[in-house]
Amino acid sequence: MRTAFYISDGTAITSEVFGHATLSMFPVEFNHKTIPFVETEKKAIEVKNLINSTAQRDGEQPLVFFTFVNHELSEIIKSSCAVCYDFLSQYSDKISQELKVAPVPKVHRTHSMHEKSYDFRIDAVNYALTNDDGANIKNYAEADIILVGVSRSGKTPTSLYLALQYGIKAANYPLTEDDLERGTLPECLKAYKHKLFGLTIDPVRLADIRQRRMANSKYASLKQCRIEVREVEMLYKKQKIQFLNSTHHSVEEISAKIISDTGLERRKY
């Protein structure tokens, strides 16, 4: 299996994002290794030696995705026995020509803390935790969005991701068997219908998830899951609530689709 390194003098998040996005286009398995905070020449040489030993062990050159502010560190990594991809330099040079402004490199800038966006995200995370799973229904007026759906359809992780990544205040409310039998929205949600976004899921996948939580229960039975999914989708359509099937999407994709479909304002920057 070929090895892919993601290296940076910062968190290496940018290297990972670009590298994973690029490699995801190829039907090949990789051994992924992330090495953040390579901030000295000594550390860069250690990483170079690791790359070289990996190349010798695997019998082929590793792929190295890196972002360095320090040019000397970049040169050390480039001299390794690897195929190297330097994202920052490749694009910053072109942008500099277009803007007619020279870049001002600064270590950790790509993922440094911006006070305003940081406060937004912390407030949003606290809100998501307080308003998880219908535990608190008193401050829905503050919500940017309220995710609804049957139990275990992905509401909680999506709420938290929207909060942590984008500073969006996302509450979530579980639509129960009783709610679905009535065929109407719970009273606590009716005033906030314009904020609702539904999640649904394939019944087989839902049953599998619930089995891990409550094995051999009615709650986890395929029959029950099929009934709940059918009825919740009927409710969405009847109430004209936008909804998304979460079965084959990651939490990142679900969140991005929700933002795209609703026009929610990101508070990340």
Side-chain angles (χ1 to χ4, degrees), residues 75-130:
E75 292 303 310
I76 292 172
I77 298 302
K78 285 181 181 178
S79 69
S80 64
C81 185
V83 182
C84 295
Y85 302 94
D86 177 3
F87 288 108
L88 287 186
S89 295
Q90 180 177 354
Y91 295 107
S92 63
D93 290 346
K94 293 180 181 179
I95 293 172
S96 177
Q97 291 175 16
E98 177 63 28
L99 297 179
K100 297 179 175 58
V101 176
V104 183
K106 181 180 178 182
V107 175
H108 309 318
R109 175 175 285 168
T110 55
H111 292 281
S112 61
M113 186 186 80
H114 301 282
E115 186 173 344
K116 188 173 182 180
S117 65
Y118 181 78
D119 289 344
F120 271 134
R121 284 184 282 172
I122 293 301
D123 287 346
V125 169
N126 287 333
Y127 182 88
L129 292 171
T130 302

Side-chain angles (χ1 to χ4, degrees), residues 18-154:
F18 277 104
H20 281 292
T22 303
L23 296 182
S24 69
M25 296 187 290
F26 301 93
V28 178
E29 288 191 20
F30 292 91
N31 178 26
H32 302 278
K33 292 185 179 295
T34 300
I35 307 177
F37 303 115
V38 181
E39 299 176 293
T40 65
E41 290 190 9
K42 179 181 178 182
K43 180 66 175 178
I45 292 170
E46 290 176 2
V47 173
K48 173 185 173 180
N49 292 337
L50 174 61
I51 294 170
N52 290 344
S53 64
T54 300
Q56 186 174 13
R57 181 199 66 200
D58 294 347
E60 55 187 350
Q61 291 181 311
L63 305 180
V64 176
F65 301 90
F66 70 88
T67 56
F68 282 104
V69 169
N70 186 314
H71 179 71
E72 285 71 25
L73 301 183
S74 296
E75 292 303 310
I76 292 172
I77 298 302
K78 285 181 181 178
S79 69
S80 64
C81 185
V83 182
C84 295
Y85 302 94
D86 177 3
F87 288 108
L88 287 186
S89 295
Q90 180 177 354
Y91 295 107
S92 63
D93 290 346
K94 293 180 181 179
I95 293 172
S96 177
Q97 291 175 16
E98 177 63 28
L99 297 179
K100 297 179 175 58
V101 176
V104 183
K106 181 180 178 182
V107 175
H108 309 318
R109 175 175 285 168
T110 55
H111 292 281
S112 61
M113 186 186 80
H114 301 282
E115 186 173 344
K116 188 173 182 180
S117 65
Y118 181 78
D119 289 344
F120 271 134
R121 284 184 282 172
I122 293 301
D123 287 346
V125 169
N126 287 333
Y127 182 88
L129 292 171
T130 302
N131 295 275
D132 180 45
D133 210 29
N136 178 29
I137 61 175
K138 295 179 180 179
N139 55 354
Y140 281 173
E142 297 178 31
D144 296 312
I145 191 169
I146 304 170
L147 301 182
V148 293
V150 300
S151 173
R152 315 309 290 180
S153 57

Side-chain angles (χ1 to χ4, degrees), residues 8 10-11 34 47 81 126 160 182-183 186 191 214 217 235 240 268:
S8 176
T11 62
T34 300
V47 173
C81 185
N126 287 333
L160 288 170
R182 285 192 294 269
M214 295 180 64
S217 63
L235 179 62
K240 295 182 171 56
K268 177 180 177 181

Side-chain angles (χ1 to χ4, degrees), residues 226-240:
R226 281 175 171 158
I227 291 171
E228 290 186 30
V229 169
R230 181 180 69 246
E231 292 184 350
V232 81
E233 291 182 1
M234 288 173 59
L235 179 62
Y236 294 152
K237 292 172 183 176
K238 179 181 177 182
Q239 297 291 331
K240 295 182 171 56

Side-chain angles (χ1 to χ4, degrees), residues 19 44 52 64 71 92 103 115 132 139 166 176 180 235 243 246 249 255 258 261:
N52 290 344
V64 176
H71 179 71
S92 63
E115 186 173 344
D132 180 45
N139 55 354
Y166 300 116
T176 66
L180 298 175
L235 179 62
F243 68 95
S246 65
H249 297 296
S255 300
I258 289 172
D261 289 349

